[in-house]
Amino acid sequence: DTAVSQTPKYLVTQMGNDKSIKCEQNLGHDTMYWYKQDSKKFLKIMFSYNNKELIINETVPNRFSPKSPDKAHLNLHINSLELGDSAVYFCASSLPPGQGVFGQGTRLTVV
Amino acid sequence: TQLLEQSPQFLSIQEGENLTVYCNSSSVFSSLQWYRQEPGEGPVLLVTVVTGGEVKKLKRLTFQFGDARKDSSLHITAAQPGDTGLYLCAGGGGGGADGLTFGKGTHLIIQP
């Protein structure tokens, strides 16, 4: 069984569209995250959710919104997509002390 | 803002050689992790170090956490082509709800 699974793996869309990326974890972890990896492979945290509460919201445009229907899921919604949003987005979950189990990533390409 | 500086950024060596990757910060971290990422995949956790001065070994890989918990190193002995990949260090600042601060990674290539 895949511990952290994301869908879709690839997403190509036009500027201005709204899209969602889904994430599910079967590890029973309390905290889930979204990270963005840029073209230079630099990973930066976007959001953290603990028991459905937003813990961290870094300087991310409000076009990005995480939504957690339950403890095992954390979806990422993106409105009005821009060219600069193209990147690989990773979902992760963790146990203390902040160890991350990452999904396989979603490569988003905005054209 | 906590920052992690990783060096070298790129490293290409011959099979059988030894190498060390460094991860340095001016900030104290409660824990530090090392990940390995292969193309098209997510980072995979190799090790977590928590105590200052801690040394952990994973087969040919040796990880060390600095006494002041501001830096770490990864040493690979007798590197093999299967060690090729992107190595990332990441620091945890506090409780489990905190996200990780990542270094910019070391792209390692081991040539046969």
Side-chain angles (χ1 to χ4, degrees):
Chain A
D1 280 345
T2 303
V4 179
S5 60
Q6 296 179 227
T7 54
K9 188 170 174 64
Y10 300 97
L11 183 54
V12 180
T13 187
Q14 290 186 323
M15 284 175 56
N17 284 351
D18 302 337
K19 290 293 179 184
S20 295
I21 306 172
K22 295 185 177 180
C23 178
E24 175 181 5
Q25 56 101 356
N26 62 7
L27 299 167
H29 290 170
D30 285 334
T31 308
M32 296 182 71
Y33 310 86
W34 278 104
Y35 288 84
K36 179 180 180 180
Q37 188 171 46
D38 62 23
S39 58
K40 295 186 177 181
K41 303 296 185 182
F42 182 50
L43 268 163
K44 188 172 181 181
I45 189 164
M46 301 175 70
F47 300 105
S48 165
Y49 250 75
N50 183 293
N51 289 327
K52 294 192 182 181
E53 292 186 40
L54 182 65
I55 303 298
I56 301 174
N57 184 350
E58 295 290 313
T59 54
V60 173
N62 57 15
R63 297 181 294 104
F64 291 79
S65 57
K67 286 185 170 53
S68 180
D70 55 58
K71 180 180 167 180
H73 296 83
L74 182 63
N75 304 323
L76 183 64
H77 297 271
I78 316 170
N79 295 325
S80 303
L81 278 155
E82 300 178 358
L83 292 176
D85 296 333
S86 295
V88 182
Y89 293 84
F90 286 98
C91 176
S93 69
S94 78
L95 283 172
Q99 303 175 49
V101 180
F102 285 77
Q104 288 195 316
T106 295
R107 181 174 293 277
L108 172 65
T109 303
V110 182
V111 298
Chain B
T1 302
Q2 295 179 312
L3 294 174
L4 279 168
E5 299 288 338
Q6 245 183 280
S7 62
Q9 188 176 358
F10 297 95
L11 184 59
S12 179
I13 61 173
Q14 295 294 125
E15 181 177 2
E17 294 183 9
N18 301 331
L19 68 108
T20 302
V21 177
Y22 300 94
C23 180
N24 297 301
S25 175
S26 58
S27 303
V28 174
F29 287 94
S30 61
S31 67
L32 203 140
Q33 291 88 42
W34 285 91
Y35 292 81
R36 180 180 162 197
Q37 185 179 15
E38 299 197 35
E41 302 291 331
V44 175
L45 180 66
L46 296 174
V47 77
T48 298
V49 285
V50 178
T51 306
E54 184 176 4
V55 177
K56 283 191 174 180
K57 292 191 174 184
L58 185 64
K59 297 184 180 178
R60 293 175 294 100
L61 279 60
T62 301
F63 305 85
Q64 187 163 6
F65 201 12
D67 291 341
R69 291 187 291 140
K70 292 182 179 181
D71 53 84
S72 182
S73 64
L74 158 60
H75 182 78
I76 301 179
T77 304
Q80 299 177 1
D83 295 328
T84 294
L86 174 65
Y87 289 82
L88 298 159
C89 67
D98 288 349
L100 296 170
T101 299
F102 277 88
K104 293 192 174 182
T106 295
H107 296 262
L108 176 63
I109 298 174
I110 309 300
Q111 300 179 13

